[in-house]
Amino acid sequence: MKKVITYGTYDLLHEGHINLLRRAKALGDYLIVGVTNDSFDRERGKLNVRNNVLERVEAVKATGFVDEVIIEDYVGQKIDDILKYDVDIFAIGSDWEGKFDYLSEFCEVVYLPRTEGVSSTMLRAKSEIVVNLGVVGCGRIAKRFVAESSKVDAVHIESLYDIQPEAAEEIAPEGAYIAKSFEELVARVDAVYIATPHLQHYPQAKYALEQGKHVLCETPMVLSGAEAEELYRIAEEQGVVLLEANKTAYCPAFNHLVTLIKSGLIGDVVGIDASESKLWGKDKLRRELDPNEAGGSLYEMGSYPLLPIVRLLGTKYENINIYSRLNGDGVDVYTRGIMRFESAVASFQLGLGVKTEGNLVISGTKGYAYVPSPWWKTDYFELRYEDQNQNKKYFYKWDEHGLRYEIQEFVACIVNRRMTSARLTPQQSIAMAYVMEQFAERKNFFKL
Ligand code: CTP
């Protein structure tokens, strides 16, 4: 019996796929099709796949040409599969010509003619609902955001606004409009990305939501719990999406870490320690240390270490003690917080002018998770145990500045009319704002 194997994503199954499968089947007696797993596609940069793996498997089966479907999960799996299933022929479309010659050591490699004029990418583009987005506050982060938005289907940067028009012009993609006022920008678009200094987030997000626009707001979204609650309430009333743009929250590796821990791999979580620090010159940290711009290490970076804490331990902490070292302007250059939960304790450490190891350790009753610095750009972590033979290392891809994941989630929420994201829920975002508020009120606060 001659066995043939082929692989693909098979998103929005089309005629090209059907022709390919027919031709592959005709090469032998038994056809195995490897369909890519969702996480594998995301990892290799295919962020825009529409059908999930189950839907894609069903569609491939329904063609009637397939004898067996397997899931493709990792790079290098093709060789393993060819050996495991004793495959005679590896077949793939001619768009891959030459790319799989290395498999000829293991079986015959055949490039089949590709059907012209159709692809999943084309079909996605045709059916796409495009979200017209306006960018407000055109500094460093917005520049990265604009560049990465080109990696996400269904989003179009329609206009930009900055109090200094040159800043908007500098980062604007071709053809984008430079708005003369914030209000003009909001009127033109479906959704707004707010990347202005912290204190402008609340009035700008509120205005945009009241105008019925979706909002993706940089982190920390607001510095008061009541303001956060109000914004989410307005979003709900208006039927629009409000997301806090905490890039770590949406990245694939961090989410896998959370799901592994929630599945009990390190037992009950008893402690979390997360840190982040920057030791840059005063010149580079001007805004970050400006008391009039809500400067300081907690406001600047606190929502990153708070993220694993609220995702894993929840939002119902019993109390928080905060310890800070303040500079001459009363701005915290170092802050350490200890949060007590009913059956766990978490601590976070932040420095702007104080350096500390920026790692994340999650301690459990069976083992612990270790994410080395910079853990907020998670691309690698380990689960470690008393018996070192059980330790496991996990590797992922982190693309550029990692903003494409939050953009993708924001757009997916809008397109699918899913008003909140499980990756950073309104409750979690509100809880973080209450921590900021407690700090501002100097409650349970100790000066170092
Ligand atoms: N294929 C084909 N003809 C097409 C499109 C795809 O023969 N018009 C083949 C590919 O060469 C591959 C298989 O179908 O062997 C699965 O490809 P996949 O990447 O899932 O399909 P695309 O439509 O090319 O997807 P995308 O646009 O997302 O790259």
Side-chain angles (χ1 to χ4, degrees):
M1 185 170 72
K2 217 176 206 180
K3 281 191 178 175
V4 182
I5 198 162
T6 189
Y7 293 85
T9 303
Y10 304 101
D11 188 31
L12 305 174
L13 196 100
H14 55 69
E15 192 197 333
H17 294 139
I18 296 170
N19 291 339
L20 187 285
L21 294 174
R22 184 192 309 108
R23 289 172 185 146
K25 172 77 176 180
L27 293 172
D29 310 301
Y30 191 82
L31 177 62
I32 304 173
V33 178
V35 176
T36 49
N37 203 354
D38 295 333
S39 55
F40 181 53
D41 269 330
R42 261 198 305 273
E43 236 170 80
R44 59 193 193 120
K46 269 193 139 174
L47 289 176
N48 302 302
V49 176
R50 285 291 187 77
N51 297 137
N52 67 36
V53 63
L54 290 178
E55 292 163 339
R56 292 182 286 114
V57 165
E58 284 311 312
V60 164
K61 278 188 184 162
T63 63
F65 299 118
V66 182
D67 298 288
E68 189 172 347
V69 175
I70 58 171
I71 301 296
E72 187 180 20
D73 245 335
Y74 59 91
V75 181
Q77 186 183 324
K78 292 186 178 78
I79 296 177
D80 289 346
D81 290 341
I82 289 167
L83 298 174
K84 183 168 152 192
Y85 296 102
D86 201 12
V87 166
D88 301 287
I89 299 175
F90 169 86
I92 195 98
S94 52
D95 45 325
W96 294 97
E97 188 80 50
K99 299 264 172 39
F100 291 102
D101 290 356
Y102 69 92
L103 294 175
S104 56
E105 187 185 333
F106 307 96
C107 69
E108 189 186 339
V109 175
V110 175
Y111 297 100
L112 291 167
R114 186 179 158 90
T115 309
E116 292 308 316
V118 61
S119 74
S120 305
T121 308
M122 279 169 53
L123 292 177
R124 284 193 293 263
K126 256 193 218 158
S127 68
E128 216 58 88
I129 309 162
V130 173
V131 175
N132 280 312
L133 188 81
V135 174
V136 184
C138 299
R140 205 170 40 205
I141 187 81
K143 185 175 179 178
R144 295 171 178 173
F145 183 94
V146 168
E148 285 205 30
S149 66
S150 66
K151 307 286 181 203
V152 180
D153 281 359
V155 63
H156 167 65
I157 308 275
E158 200 276 341
S159 47
L160 302 95
Y161 171 71
D162 194 285
I163 43 167
Q164 295 174 300
E166 320 80 77
E169 269 153 28
E170 199 192 314
I171 67 165
E174 220 183 296
Y177 177 77
I178 309 298
K180 288 168 198 66
S181 68
F182 170 64
E183 292 75 12
E184 186 196 11
L185 175 129
V186 173
R188 293 177 65 97
V189 296
D190 310 318
V192 181
Y193 168 59
I194 298 175
T196 44
H198 308 327
L199 295 176
Q200 287 167 48
H201 292 179
Y202 169 70
Q204 289 181 332
K206 185 173 173 185
Y207 178 82
L209 293 169
E210 282 172 346
Q211 303 302 307
K213 310 296 167 142
H214 307 285
V215 171
L216 175 63
C217 184
E218 257 314 316
T219 192
M221 189 173 78
V222 287
L223 306 175
S224 120
E227 285 178 1
E229 288 191 30
E230 185 190 354
L231 293 183
Y232 283 108
R233 198 178 54 242
I234 299 172
E236 200 182 337
E237 283 163 9
Q238 295 282 359
V240 293
V241 177
L242 169 61
L243 278 196
E244 180 166 351
N246 180 317
K247 63 176 185 280
T248 313
Y250 308 99
C251 99
F254 177 76
N255 281 290
H256 192 208
L257 172 70
V258 170
T259 53
L260 290 175
I261 291 174
K262 284 193 181 280
S263 314
L265 261 68
I266 60 165
D268 294 339
V269 175
V270 178
I272 298 180
D273 298 285
S275 308
E276 188 170 343
S277 66
K278 285 181 195 160
L279 193 54
W280 294 347
K282 275 215 178 81
D283 293 357
K284 223 176 157 194
L285 290 178
R286 205 172 299 140
R287 180 189 57 76
E288 286 87 343
L289 291 174
D290 186 344
N292 300 318
E293 294 266 24
S297 64
L298 181 70
Y299 291 156
E300 191 54 31
M301 296 179 290
S303 46
Y304 289 100
L306 284 170
L307 173 73
I309 298 173
V310 296
R311 283 281 299 267
L312 290 164
L313 297 176
T315 55
K316 295 200 168 60
Y317 50 87
E318 316 237 311
N319 67 30
I320 313 181
N321 284 347
I322 298 177
Y323 306 84
S324 291
R325 181 186 179 116
L326 307 177
N327 70 9
D329 295 327
V331 169
D332 64 311
V333 290
Y334 176 81
T335 285
R336 188 169 193 145
I338 315 277
M339 298 174 78
R340 184 161 69 85
F341 288 80
E342 197 184 340
S343 54
V345 62
S347 91
F348 54 86
Q349 243 190 126
L350 302 153
L352 270 184
V354 168
K355 197 66 194 161
T356 179
E357 170 68 23
N359 61 18
L360 166 66
V361 177
I362 303 162
S363 312
T365 50
K366 291 185 183 156
Y368 72 96
Y370 170 71
V371 194
S373 175
W375 70 265
W376 51 94
K377 295 185 190 173
T378 320
D379 61 356
Y380 163 75
F381 60 84
E382 286 183 45
L383 297 187
R384 293 177 175 173
Y385 300 91
E386 189 65 40
D387 172 6
Q388 290 185 13
N389 293 320
Q390 287 188 37
N391 289 5
K392 195 156 175 201
K393 297 177 163 64
Y394 296 81
F395 297 87
Y396 302 81
K397 197 158 162 257
W398 173 274
D399 289 298
E400 287 168 89
H401 299 288
L403 301 180
R404 63 197 64 189
Y405 312 115
E406 67 186 27
I407 304 172
Q408 160 69 19
E409 180 70 358
F410 182 55
V411 170
C413 283
I414 296 172
V415 170
N416 301 321
R417 299 210 54 76
R418 178 160 53 82
M419 292 303 140
T420 58
S421 168
R423 301 182 164 206
L424 181 50
T425 64
Q427 293 70 29
Q428 291 161 352
S429 166
I430 290 166
M432 292 193 206
Y434 272 113
V435 174
M436 305 288 168
E437 181 177 315
Q438 179 182 324
F439 175 72
E441 288 175 349
R442 300 291 193 249
K443 231 166 78 195
N444 291 357
F445 177 83
F446 305 89
K447 205 168 123 198
L448 302 175

